[in-house]
Amino acid sequence: MSSFRYAILGAGRQGACAAWGLAKYGDAESVTLADVDESIAAAAAKRVNGLLNREVVRPGRLDASDPVTTRTLLKGHHAALSCVPYFLNEEVARAAVDARVHFCDLGGNTEVVENELALHPEASKRGLSLIPDCGLAPGLGNTLAALAVEQFDQEISVHVRCGGLPVNPKPPLSYMLVFSIHGLINEYTGEAEYLRGGKIVRVPTISEFEPIEMGPPLGTLQCAVTSGGTSTAPKSFLGRVRDYDYKTIRYPGHWDRVKTLLDLGFLDNAPVTIGPNSVRPRDLTAACLIPRLTFRGDKDLVILRVWADGRKAGVARRVQYDVLDYGDDITGFTAMERTTAFPAALVAHMMAAGETMRGAIPLETAVPARPHVERLKTWGIAIRESQA
């Protein structure tokens, strides 16, 4: 069995979980887990090594905004996974190409992803896979969509719905922080890119509310447009798929309150002047929300539903994929950590093993969908497939 050396940049929630996944299932000889705060990396490495009962994860210190030290740390690894904030991914990807290391990340911002994909000529020349947006959504949602598209040859419409929620919602937002607040605000602002009628369209966030029925105990939840969830898929499927959209799932009442914050400018990016100081409204909002949406010890759940309608050899039908994860009490990894980190870590494994396309290529094109989905099940992510 092959052994691979992995680097994970960012030792927070998803970084620690990805390190465990690669050490457990990724044929890992070693995993370097680096963070700007080395004490966080050390604590995460100790936790993962303790769970595995072997010393495979080693901590490191890394300032991901410094391309020189990033390149130095990455050298000698087979594949790297970025779990740092999305706005650092472009520079980290460049460093990975310079270091001749396969690279993937958790993504979340389509503009940053497009800049990463512009590295295709250099990545291809060096025989590297560079695959952004490999987490949950964008990420696993796009892979399941690609798998669904494979089932049809005409009139294909794909719909992705995803949400990370508290098991026991609390007012006022019926939400708890399950990943970076800055990533969350990024998703709540701007526009989403969809396919409608075979054409790419842009739709404002926090709009087009719709119910989704999940059955007991969750009942009827509510979806709304958020940005980034489709990522590169509309362009990848242009000419083959008629409709492609993504919405985020929340408990009823959440979207009305968030829409108020959005309309009043609390999520704006442009700085405002307050006395002698200049501050971005979204930074102030983030600082206020973090302590009010952090409920230590509370459990989370993740819902992902992807369905597609179309025709195969003239016969109309539907395929649907459902993921409902409540986390793992044995390892302590939450539902959001598992469903975000494991799909990305598996891509890192497939890159190292030579199973992905070379170059800087979108996830839904670069990674073979069926093998990824089937192997992810062996990592403990239950994916239910149904057809009609």
Side-chain angles (χ1 to χ4, degrees), residues 146-166:
L147 182 58
V149 169
E150 292 176 3
Q151 315 305 310
F152 304 101
D153 52 29
Q154 287 182 309
E155 300 177 19
I156 308 170
S157 294
V158 182
H159 310 280
V160 182
R161 303 292 182 265
C162 184
L165 301 169

Side-chain angles (χ1 to χ4, degrees), residues 14 105-108 133-144 160-165 178-179 187 228-229 244 246 250 300-306 323-325 335-344 363 372 376 381:
Q14 278 72 25
D105 63 41
L106 302 182
D133 273 346
C134 297
L136 174 60
L140 179 57
N142 303 61
T143 301
L144 290 173
V160 182
R161 303 292 182 265
C162 184
L165 301 169
V178 291
F179 67 102
E187 292 178 4
Y244 190 108
Y246 169 90
R250 294 288 184 258
D300 72 327
L301 63 94
V302 164
I303 302 164
L304 175 60
R305 174 172 290 175
V306 179
V323 176
L324 179 58
D325 196 279
M336 182 58 72
E337 288 166 356
R338 285 163 44 85
T339 57
T340 303
F342 284 0
L363 170 69
H372 184 275
L376 191 61
I381 301 299

Side-chain angles (χ1 to χ4, degrees), residues 246-267:
Y246 169 90
K247 293 183 181 181
T248 294
I249 303 171
R250 294 288 184 258
Y251 287 110
H254 176 89
W255 293 121
D256 290 338
R257 295 176 175 89
V258 170
K259 184 69 161 58
T260 299
L261 292 175
L262 182 68
D263 290 345
L264 291 175
F266 284 93
L267 305 184

Side-chain angles (χ1 to χ4, degrees), residues 73-129:
L73 182 137
L74 290 177
K75 284 183 177 179
H77 294 88
H78 293 98
L81 166 60
S82 172
C83 298
V84 300
Y86 70 88
F87 48 81
L88 294 171
N89 280 332
E90 180 184 351
E91 287 305 317
V92 175
R94 291 180 186 277
V97 172
D98 289 342
R100 298 180 182 271
V101 175
H102 299 302
F103 176 84
C104 61
D105 63 41
L106 302 182
N109 181 281
T110 306
E111 183 179 351
V112 172
V113 168
E114 295 286 358
N115 292 339
E116 291 177 79
L117 295 177
L119 298 172
H120 175 71
E122 190 65 21
S124 179
K125 183 173 69 174
R126 297 191 175 193
L128 300 174
S129 285

Side-chain angles (χ1 to χ4, degrees), residues 15-254:
C17 188
W20 183 87
L22 285 170
K24 176 81 171 176
Y25 302 109
D27 303 332
E29 173 188 319
S30 65
V31 180
T32 301
L33 184 57
D35 198 278
V36 67
D37 186 337
E38 194 168 4
S39 66
I40 293 176
K46 182 179 179 180
R47 175 191 176 191
V48 173
N49 288 332
L51 288 170
L52 296 165
N53 199 29
R54 66 188 181 106
E55 296 293 318
V56 62
V57 181
R58 61 190 184 204
R61 185 187 180 280
L62 173 71
D63 179 356
S65 65
D66 182 348
V68 175
T69 56
T70 302
R71 185 169 60 249
T72 300
L73 182 137
L74 290 177
K75 284 183 177 179
H77 294 88
H78 293 98
L81 166 60
S82 172
C83 298
V84 300
Y86 70 88
F87 48 81
L88 294 171
N89 280 332
E90 180 184 351
E91 287 305 317
V92 175
R94 291 180 186 277
V97 172
D98 289 342
R100 298 180 182 271
V101 175
H102 299 302
F103 176 84
C104 61
D105 63 41
L106 302 182
N109 181 281
T110 306
E111 183 179 351
V112 172
V113 168
E114 295 286 358
N115 292 339
E116 291 177 79
L117 295 177
L119 298 172
H120 175 71
E122 190 65 21
S124 179
K125 183 173 69 174
R126 297 191 175 193
L128 300 174
S129 285
L130 195 165
I131 308 172
D133 273 346
C134 297
L136 174 60
L140 179 57
N142 303 61
T143 301
L144 290 173
L147 182 58
V149 169
E150 292 176 3
Q151 315 305 310
F152 304 101
D153 52 29
Q154 287 182 309
E155 300 177 19
I156 308 170
S157 294
V158 182
H159 310 280
V160 182
R161 303 292 182 265
C162 184
L165 301 169
V167 173
N168 299 304
K170 298 175 182 178
L173 293 183
S174 299
Y175 183 75
M176 64 184 284
L177 282 177
V178 291
F179 67 102
S180 165
I181 184 67
H182 300 288
L184 180 73
I185 292 175
N186 178 66
E187 292 178 4
Y188 281 5
T189 56
E191 295 179 318
E193 193 168 84
Y194 291 169
L195 278 175
R196 285 185 171 164
K199 297 180 179 180
I200 293 178
V201 300
R202 302 189 69 83
V203 182
T205 58
I206 322 298
S207 66
E208 299 190 4
F209 306 123
E210 67 179 40
I212 185 169
E213 180 56 51
M214 298 306 304
L218 295 173
T220 303
L221 304 179
Q222 191 177 36
C223 306
V225 175
T226 54
S227 66
T230 60
S231 189
T232 51
K235 291 185 176 70
S236 296
F237 293 131
L238 185 63
R240 185 177 181 189
V241 172
R242 182 177 61 192
D243 304 301
Y244 190 108
D245 59 39
Y246 169 90
K247 293 183 181 181
T248 294
I249 303 171
R250 294 288 184 258
Y251 287 110
H254 176 89

